[in-house]
Coordinates of all heavy atoms in Angstrom, one line a residue:
P1 N -65.9 -77.8 43.6 CA -66.5 -76.9 44.6 C -67.9 -76.5 44.3 O -68.6 -76.0 45.2 CB -65.5 -75.7 44.6 CG -65.0 -75.7 43.2 CD -64.9 -77.2 42.8
A2 N -68.4 -76.7 43.0 CA -69.7 -76.2 42.6 C -70.7 -77.3 42.5 O -71.9 -77.1 42.3 CB -69.6 -75.5 41.3
R3 N -70.3 -78.6 42.7 CA -71.1 -79.7 42.5 C -70.9 -80.7 43.7 O -69.9 -81.5 43.6 CB -70.9 -80.4 41.1 CG -71.1 -79.4 40.0 CD -70.6 -80.0 38.7 NE -70.8 -79.0 37.6 CZ -69.9 -78.1 37.3 NH1 -68.8 -78.0 38.0 NH2 -70.1 -77.2 36.3
A4 N -71.8 -80.7 44.6 CA -71.6 -81.6 45.8 C -71.5 -83.0 45.4 O -72.2 -83.6 44.6 CB -72.7 -81.3 46.8
G5 N -70.5 -83.7 46.0 CA -70.4 -85.2 45.7 C -69.6 -85.5 44.5 O -69.5 -86.7 44.2
T6 N -69.1 -84.5 43.7 CA -68.5 -84.8 42.5 C -66.9 -84.8 42.7 O -66.4 -83.8 43.2 CB -68.8 -83.8 41.4 OG1 -70.2 -83.8 41.1 CG2 -68.0 -84.1 40.1
I7 N -66.3 -85.9 42.3 CA -64.8 -86.1 42.5 C -64.2 -86.4 41.2 O -64.8 -87.1 40.3 CB -64.6 -87.3 43.5 CG1 -65.4 -87.1 44.8 CG2 -63.1 -87.4 43.8 CD1 -65.3 -88.3 45.7
Y8 N -63.0 -85.9 41.0 CA -62.2 -86.1 39.8 C -60.9 -86.8 40.2 O -60.3 -86.5 41.2 CB -61.9 -84.9 39.0 CG -63.2 -84.1 38.6 CD1 -63.6 -83.1 39.4 CD2 -63.9 -84.5 37.5 CE1 -64.8 -82.3 39.0 CE2 -65.1 -83.8 37.1 CZ -65.5 -82.7 37.9 OH -66.6 -82.0 37.5
A9 N -60.5 -87.8 39.4 CA -59.2 -88.4 39.6 C -58.5 -88.6 38.3 O -59.1 -88.9 37.3 CB -59.4 -89.8 40.3
G10 N -57.2 -88.3 38.3 CA -56.4 -88.4 37.1 C -55.1 -89.3 37.3 O -54.7 -89.5 38.4
G11 N -54.7 -89.9 36.2 CA -53.5 -90.7 36.3 C -53.1 -91.2 34.9 O -53.4 -90.5 33.9
Y12 N -52.4 -92.3 34.8 CA -52.0 -92.8 33.5 C -53.1 -93.2 32.5 O -53.0 -93.0 31.3 CB -51.1 -94.0 33.7 CG -49.7 -93.7 34.1 CD1 -49.3 -93.8 35.4 CD2 -48.7 -93.3 33.2 CE1 -48.0 -93.5 35.9 CE2 -47.4 -93.0 33.6 CZ -47.1 -93.1 34.9 OH -45.8 -92.8 35.3
T13 N -54.2 -93.7 33.1 CA -55.3 -94.2 32.2 C -56.2 -93.0 31.8 O -57.0 -93.2 30.9 CB -56.1 -95.2 32.9 OG1 -56.6 -94.7 34.2 CG2 -55.2 -96.5 33.2
G14 N -56.2 -91.9 32.4 CA -57.1 -90.8 32.0 C -57.6 -90.0 33.2 O -57.2 -90.1 34.3
L15 N -58.7 -89.2 32.9 CA -59.4 -88.4 33.9 C -60.7 -89.1 34.2 O -61.6 -89.3 33.3 CB -59.6 -87.0 33.4 CG -60.4 -86.1 34.2 CD1 -59.7 -85.9 35.6 CD2 -60.6 -84.7 33.6
W16 N -61.0 -89.4 35.4 CA -62.2 -90.1 35.9 C -63.1 -89.2 36.7 O -62.5 -88.3 37.4 CB -61.8 -91.3 36.7 CG -61.1 -92.4 35.9 CD1 -59.8 -92.4 35.6 CD2 -61.7 -93.5 35.3 NE1 -59.5 -93.5 34.8 CE2 -60.7 -94.2 34.7 CE3 -63.0 -94.0 35.2 CZ2 -60.9 -95.4 34.0 CZ3 -63.2 -95.2 34.6 CH2 -62.2 -95.9 33.9
K17 N -64.3 -89.4 36.6 CA -65.3 -88.5 37.3 C -66.3 -89.4 38.1 O -66.8 -90.4 37.5 CB -66.1 -87.6 36.3 CG -67.2 -86.9 36.9 CD -68.0 -86.1 35.8 CE -69.3 -85.6 36.3 NZ -70.1 -85.0 35.2
S18 N -66.6 -89.0 39.3 CA -67.7 -89.6 40.1 C -68.6 -88.5 40.5 O -68.2 -87.5 41.1 CB -67.1 -90.4 41.3 OG -68.2 -90.8 42.1
A19 N -69.9 -88.7 40.2 CA -70.9 -87.8 40.6 C -71.6 -88.2 41.9 O -72.6 -87.5 42.3 CB -71.9 -87.5 39.5
D20 N -71.3 -89.3 42.5 CA -72.0 -89.9 43.7 C -71.1 -90.1 44.8 O -71.2 -91.1 45.5 CB -72.8 -91.1 43.3 CG -71.9 -92.2 42.7 OD1 -70.6 -92.0 42.7 OD2 -72.5 -93.2 42.2
G21 N -70.0 -89.2 45.0 CA -69.1 -89.4 46.1 C -68.1 -90.5 46.0 O -67.6 -90.9 47.0
G22 N -67.9 -91.0 44.8 CA -66.9 -92.0 44.7 C -67.4 -93.4 44.6 O -66.6 -94.4 44.6
N23 N -68.7 -93.6 44.5 CA -69.3 -95.0 44.4 C -69.2 -95.5 43.0 O -68.9 -96.7 42.9 CB -70.7 -95.0 44.9 CG -70.9 -94.7 46.4 OD1 -70.1 -95.3 47.2 ND2 -71.7 -93.8 46.8
T24 N -69.4 -94.7 42.0 CA -69.3 -95.1 40.6 C -68.4 -94.1 39.9 O -68.5 -92.9 40.2 CB -70.6 -95.3 39.9 OG1 -71.3 -94.1 40.0 CG2 -71.4 -96.4 40.7
W25 N -67.8 -94.5 38.8 CA -66.9 -93.7 38.1 C -67.1 -93.8 36.5 O -67.5 -94.9 36.1 CB -65.4 -94.1 38.4 CG -65.0 -93.9 39.8 CD1 -65.2 -94.7 40.8 CD2 -64.4 -92.7 40.3 NE1 -64.7 -94.2 42.0 CE2 -64.2 -93.0 41.7 CE3 -64.0 -91.5 39.8 CZ2 -63.6 -92.0 42.6 CZ3 -63.3 -90.6 40.7 CH2 -63.2 -90.9 42.0
T26 N -66.9 -92.7 35.8 CA -66.9 -92.7 34.4 C -65.6 -92.1 33.8 O -65.1 -91.2 34.4 CB -68.1 -91.9 33.8 OG1 -68.0 -90.6 34.3 CG2 -69.4 -92.6 34.2
L27 N -65.1 -92.6 32.7 CA -63.9 -92.1 32.1 C -64.3 -90.9 31.2 O -65.0 -91.1 30.3 CB -63.2 -93.2 31.3 CG -61.9 -92.8 30.6 CD1 -60.8 -92.4 31.7 CD2 -61.4 -93.9 29.7
E28 N -63.8 -89.7 31.6 CA -64.1 -88.5 30.9 C -63.1 -88.2 29.8 O -63.4 -87.8 28.7 CB -64.2 -87.3 31.8 CG -65.3 -87.4 32.9 CD -66.7 -87.4 32.3 OE1 -66.9 -86.8 31.2 OE2 -67.6 -88.2 32.8
I29 N -61.8 -88.4 30.1 CA -60.7 -88.1 29.2 C -59.8 -89.3 29.2 O -59.2 -89.7 30.2 CB -60.0 -86.8 29.6 CG1 -60.9 -85.6 29.7 CG2 -58.9 -86.5 28.6 CD1 -61.6 -85.2 28.4
A30 N -59.5 -89.9 28.0 CA -58.5 -91.0 27.9 C -57.1 -90.4 27.7 O -57.0 -89.4 27.1 CB -58.9 -91.9 26.8
G31 N -56.2 -91.0 28.3 CA -54.8 -90.5 28.2 C -54.3 -90.0 29.5 O -55.0 -89.9 30.5
Q32 N -53.0 -89.7 29.6 CA -52.4 -89.3 30.8 C -52.9 -87.9 31.3 O -52.7 -87.0 30.5 CB -50.8 -89.4 30.7 CG -50.3 -90.7 30.3 CD -48.8 -90.7 30.2 OE1 -48.1 -89.7 30.4 NE2 -48.2 -91.9 29.8
V33 N -53.4 -87.9 32.5 CA -53.8 -86.6 33.1 C -53.2 -86.6 34.6 O -53.7 -87.4 35.4 CB -55.3 -86.5 33.2 CG1 -55.7 -85.2 33.9 CG2 -55.9 -86.4 31.7
F34 N -52.2 -85.9 34.8 CA -51.5 -85.9 36.1 C -51.8 -84.6 36.9 O -51.4 -84.6 38.1 CB -50.0 -86.0 35.9 CG -49.6 -87.4 35.3 CD1 -48.8 -87.4 34.2 CD2 -50.1 -88.5 35.9 CE1 -48.5 -88.7 33.6 CE2 -49.8 -89.8 35.3 CZ -48.9 -89.8 34.2
Y35 N -52.4 -83.6 36.3 CA -52.5 -82.3 37.1 C -53.9 -81.8 36.9 O -54.5 -81.7 35.8 CB -51.5 -81.3 36.6 CG -50.1 -81.8 36.7 CD1 -49.4 -82.3 35.6 CD2 -49.4 -81.8 37.9 CE1 -48.1 -82.8 35.7 CE2 -48.1 -82.3 38.0 CZ -47.5 -82.8 36.9 OH -46.2 -83.3 37.1
L36 N -54.5 -81.4 38.0 CA -55.9 -80.9 38.1 C -56.0 -79.7 39.0 O -55.2 -79.5 39.9 CB -56.9 -82.0 38.7 CG -57.2 -83.2 37.8 CD1 -57.9 -84.2 38.7 CD2 -57.9 -82.9 36.6
A37 N -56.8 -78.7 38.6 CA -57.1 -77.5 39.4 C -58.5 -77.1 39.2 O -59.1 -77.4 38.2 CB -56.0 -76.5 39.1
T38 N -59.0 -76.2 40.1 CA -60.3 -75.7 39.9 C -60.4 -74.3 40.5 O -59.6 -73.9 41.4 CB -61.4 -76.6 40.7 OG1 -62.7 -76.1 40.4 CG2 -61.1 -76.6 42.2
D39 N -61.4 -73.5 40.0 CA -61.6 -72.2 40.6 C -62.9 -72.3 41.4 O -63.5 -73.3 41.5 CB -61.7 -71.1 39.5 CG -62.8 -71.3 38.5 OD1 -63.8 -72.1 38.8 OD2 -62.7 -70.8 37.3
S40 N -63.3 -71.2 42.0 CA -64.4 -71.2 43.0 C -65.7 -71.4 42.3 O -66.7 -71.8 42.9 CB -64.4 -69.9 43.7 OG -64.6 -68.8 42.8
K41 N -65.8 -71.2 40.9 CA -67.0 -71.4 40.2 C -67.2 -72.8 39.7 O -68.2 -73.1 39.1 CB -67.1 -70.4 39.1 CG -67.1 -68.9 39.5 CD -67.2 -68.0 38.3 CE -67.2 -66.5 38.8 NZ -67.2 -65.6 37.6
G42 N -66.2 -73.7 39.9 CA -66.3 -75.0 39.5 C -65.8 -75.3 38.0 O -66.0 -76.4 37.5
T43 N -65.1 -74.4 37.5 CA -64.4 -74.7 36.2 C -63.2 -75.6 36.6 O -62.3 -75.3 37.4 CB -63.9 -73.4 35.5 OG1 -65.0 -72.6 35.2 CG2 -63.1 -73.7 34.2
I44 N -63.1 -76.7 35.8 CA -62.0 -77.7 36.1 C -60.9 -77.5 35.0 O -61.2 -77.5 33.9 CB -62.6 -79.1 36.1 CG1 -63.7 -79.2 37.1 CG2 -61.5 -80.1 36.5 CD1 -63.4 -78.9 38.5
Y45 N -59.7 -77.4 35.5 CA -58.6 -77.3 34.6 C -57.7 -78.7 34.7 O -57.6 -79.1 35.8 CB -57.7 -76.1 35.0 CG -58.4 -74.8 35.0 CD1 -59.0 -74.4 36.2 CD2 -58.6 -74.1 33.8 CE1 -59.7 -73.2 36.2 CE2 -59.3 -72.9 33.9 CZ -59.9 -72.4 35.1 OH -60.5 -71.2 35.1
Y46 N -57.3 -79.1 33.6 CA -56.5 -80.3 33.6 C -55.4 -80.2 32.5 O -55.5 -79.5 31.6 CB -57.3 -81.6 33.4 CG -57.8 -81.8 32.0 CD1 -57.1 -82.7 31.1 CD2 -59.0 -81.3 31.6 CE1 -57.6 -82.9 29.9 CE2 -59.5 -81.5 30.4 CZ -58.8 -82.3 29.5 OH -59.3 -82.5 28.2
A47 N -54.3 -81.0 32.8 CA -53.2 -80.9 31.8 C -52.8 -82.3 31.4 O -52.8 -83.3 32.2 CB -52.0 -80.3 32.5
T48 N -52.6 -82.5 30.1 CA -52.0 -83.7 29.5 C -50.5 -83.4 29.5 O -50.0 -82.5 30.2 CB -52.5 -83.9 28.1 OG1 -52.2 -82.8 27.3 CG2 -54.0 -84.1 28.1

């Protein structure tokens, strides 16, 4: 919510981030990440 065009995706392979609306991705966290949440200030919470 604090960074326009930034998307996060999680799954078996890890937590992925795209800063350009989903055109390119980088692996931020390796390992299983199935749950994501955020507050209004853009703090991202994730669970292994």
Side-chain angles (χ1 to χ4, degrees):
R3 301 167 184 87
T6 298
I7 308 171
Y8 303 97
Y12 280 100
T13 54
L15 175 62
W16 294 82
K17 171 187 170 184
S18 173
D20 56 8
N23 291 312
T24 59
W25 297 85
T26 58
L27 181 63
E28 299 294 326
I29 304 294
Q32 298 179 4
V33 176
F34 295 126
Y35 303 100
L36 292 170
T38 183
D39 60 23
S40 59
K41 297 180 181 179
T43 297
I44 307 300
Y45 305 91
Y46 73 95
T48 61

